[in-house]
Amino acid sequence: SYEYLLRIAPSVMEVSLREHYGVSPGGFGLLSSFYYYAYVPMQIPVGLLMDRYGPRRLLTLACFLCALGAYIFAGSNTFFLGALGRFLVGLGSSFAFVGVLKLATLWLPEDKLAFVAGLAAALGTVGAMIGDNALGYLVDHWGWKETSDFTAAFGFILVILRWFFIRDKHSQSEEVKKQRPGQLRRSLQDLLIIAKNKAIWINGFYGCLVYLPTTVLAELWGIPYLEHAQNMSKTTADFANSMIFLGFTVGAPLMGSLSDRLHRRRLPMAIGALGALLMVMAVMYIPGLSSSTVGILLFFLGVFYSSQAIVFAVGRELSPYHAAGTAMAFTNMVVMLGGMFIQPLVGVLLDWHVKYNQGTSGTAAVISPDAYTGADYQFALVLLPIGILLALILTFFMKETFAVSEEHK
């Protein structure tokens, strides 16, 4: 939850950050995406490290990096330092989700993995809901720097709590102590096997595309979109945007549990993508919707695209058992490519569209956030329904695992 809170923090600080750094929407998207420039490439090392050293030490170190990044971000007076802070937050956050899934593989039965993945994802979005509402309130009353300082202080407290309360499974801890450097070769061989598996890539890209409502809309562009395209106040937009996370929180464990009970992966993933496509199309293209209607649609958008959580179980089932951490980390890396590339791309498209309509040159001065219209946001966010449609198409090419690992078939 903590790393998720830090991930979405820029979305409630958009106006303040753009004014502070003097950047366009493209620059704002770039600043936020520095989180993913650390998060995405680190997924492979994180998976290998989790399989080798276990979650306790790594998750404690990760929380420290998140808090340090938040502290640097709060004190930054230049774009470079702000980007460095976001990079460190992404570096620490890269351990979080995979660490939770690794703990699940150590302590829980394999046939509950999809449910656990959904539950872990749901708990993460609690931080996002707090971020949209509580952080939005604090930013309005304290300012973005003071709010960031608060999140950093909270993170340093969590570092201590993690060290004392997280436990590796005893047998796994003993196994870690006996590992020899030569085992790195085996880990790299496992990684090669995973990377050469076409089914894992298809599964990962489904997760990436169906997860765009989080990485693109809810985490960054949702609040300004709702303010400009749906004419909502800042407070109302904060709340409506948090409905996406609430829907995901409710839907992820339900989707995971349904998939486990049916012993099917493709069917709930296809239903999730189709439902998400219908919801996002309604929000973006049906005119005259009330704020409450938009909030309800965003809630069900979150419920439907929470089928994304199933991809981690599929990635695990398509890979060797002893490489569970590596498999899920590789899958998470592919999933998060959307935040790495599409977040800043939306900003670039938004900036281009408003300048094109105003007849200004590409080198014109930074435009005020108030100058952007709903049509500008609709143009830039067209990537959202296109991506979800592609995710739906990918379900027809996915390999059905029947909720059973390859070595157990």
Side-chain angles (χ1 to χ4, degrees):
S1 293
Y2 176 64
E3 69 91 5
Y4 223 127
L5 181 147
L6 295 180
R7 184 193 300 185
I8 63 95
S11 68
V12 300
M13 305 173 180
E14 184 228 358
V15 174
S16 298
L17 291 177
R18 285 184 56 188
E19 291 177 351
H20 179 73
Y21 295 112
V23 294
S24 66
F28 174 65
L30 178 64
L31 175 68
S32 178
S33 64
F34 265 89
Y35 171 100
Y36 289 101
Y37 295 154
Y39 188 103
V40 173
M42 275 299 295
Q43 289 307 294
I44 298 304
V46 164
L48 295 173
L49 290 169
M50 284 292 174
D51 287 334
R52 186 173 176 82
Y53 296 110
R56 185 191 180 205
R57 286 172 289 180
L58 295 175
L59 288 176
T60 303
L61 174 62
C63 190
F64 174 78
L65 290 173
C66 284
L68 179 62
Y71 179 75
I72 292 174
F73 184 74
S76 64
N77 289 316
T78 65
F79 185 89
F80 172 79
L81 284 178
L84 176 62
R86 290 294 295 169
F87 187 87
L88 288 175
V89 170
L91 187 63
S93 297
S94 64
F95 290 84
F97 188 62
V98 175
V100 172
L101 294 182
K102 181 63 178 180
L103 282 169
T105 64
L106 295 175
W107 290 96
L108 299 174
E110 182 182 347
D111 62 357
K112 302 297 182 184
L113 187 55
F115 170 73
V116 172
L119 184 61
L123 291 174
T125 57
V126 172
M129 293 173 61
I130 294 172
D132 273 341
N133 293 285
L135 286 188
Y137 176 85
L138 292 177
V139 169
D140 289 340
H141 290 79
W142 289 2
W144 74 270
K145 282 180 173 287
E146 291 75 10
T147 301
S148 296
D149 273 329
F150 173 79
T151 62
F154 182 68
F156 287 124
I157 295 173
L158 286 180
V159 170
I160 300 172
L161 294 177
R162 285 194 180 199
W163 178 254
F164 286 105
F165 286 99
I166 293 178
R167 287 289 180 267
D168 295 329
K169 194 172 183 179
H170 177 72
S171 60
Q172 197 268 351
S173 298
E174 294 301 316
E175 181 183 334
V176 164
K177 295 178 182 178
K178 298 176 183 178
Q179 287 195 27
R180 295 184 291 271
Q183 197 155 356
L184 177 61
R185 178 181 296 180
R186 181 183 181 184
S187 297
L188 293 175
Q189 289 173 342
D190 291 335
L191 175 60
L192 184 61
I193 292 171
I194 291 168
K196 291 172 65 175
N197 190 332
K198 182 175 70 173
I200 288 181
W201 282 98
I202 293 174
N203 176 62
F205 277 120
Y206 166 89
C208 172
L209 294 168
V210 83
Y211 199 53
L212 290 180
T214 286
T215 54
V216 173
L217 191 66
E219 289 183 4
L220 194 65
W221 296 110
I223 293 173
Y225 167 77
L226 293 172
E227 289 181 292
H228 291 84
Q230 299 293 343
N231 298 314
M232 292 185 183
S233 67
K234 178 67 164 57
T235 302
T236 305
D238 288 346
F239 179 77
N241 193 64
S242 72
M243 288 296 98
I244 304 177
F245 294 118
L246 178 61
F248 193 96
T249 302
V250 172
L254 292 178
M255 285 285 192
S257 180
L258 175 64
S259 178
D260 286 337
R261 287 177 178 273
L262 293 176
H263 293 282
R264 295 289 188 277
R265 303 305 192 199
R266 291 174 58 190
L267 178 61
M269 291 168 78
I271 292 173
L274 177 60
L277 178 62
L278 294 176
M279 294 302 104
V280 80
M281 292 287 286
V283 170
M284 289 184 64
Y285 300 116
I286 295 179
L289 296 176
S290 66
S291 298
S292 59
T293 301
V294 171
I296 293 171
L297 290 172
L298 291 177
F299 171 81
F300 282 104
L301 171 62
V303 171
F304 280 115
Y305 85 84
S306 68
S307 59
Q308 175 265 353
I310 300 172
V311 303
F312 299 101
V314 175
R316 160 70 197 90
E317 290 154 4
L318 292 171
S319 308
Y321 179 80
H322 58 272
T326 303
M328 290 182 289
F330 187 90
T331 301
N332 201 33
M333 179 192 73
V334 180
V335 167
M336 292 302 172
L337 289 174
M340 187 174 181
F341 294 108
I342 307 301
Q343 266 194 6
L345 180 57
V346 168
V348 171
L349 291 176
L350 183 61
D351 202 32
W352 177 87
H353 193 257
V354 71
K355 288 182 178 179
Y356 176 81
N357 284 337
Q358 292 182 0
T360 56
S361 67
T363 59
V366 175
I367 299 171
S368 167
D370 296 331
Y372 294 85
T373 67
D376 297 324
Y377 281 95
Q378 282 185 328
F379 173 80
L381 289 170
V382 73
L383 298 173
L384 205 57
I386 291 175
I388 299 174
L389 175 61
L390 291 175
L392 177 60
I393 294 172
L394 283 178
T395 61
F396 294 97
F397 299 92
M398 292 179 63
K399 182 176 182 180
E400 177 61 74
T401 65
F402 300 100
V404 178
S405 298
E406 290 287 345
E407 61 258 43
H408 293 159
K409 292 181 180 179

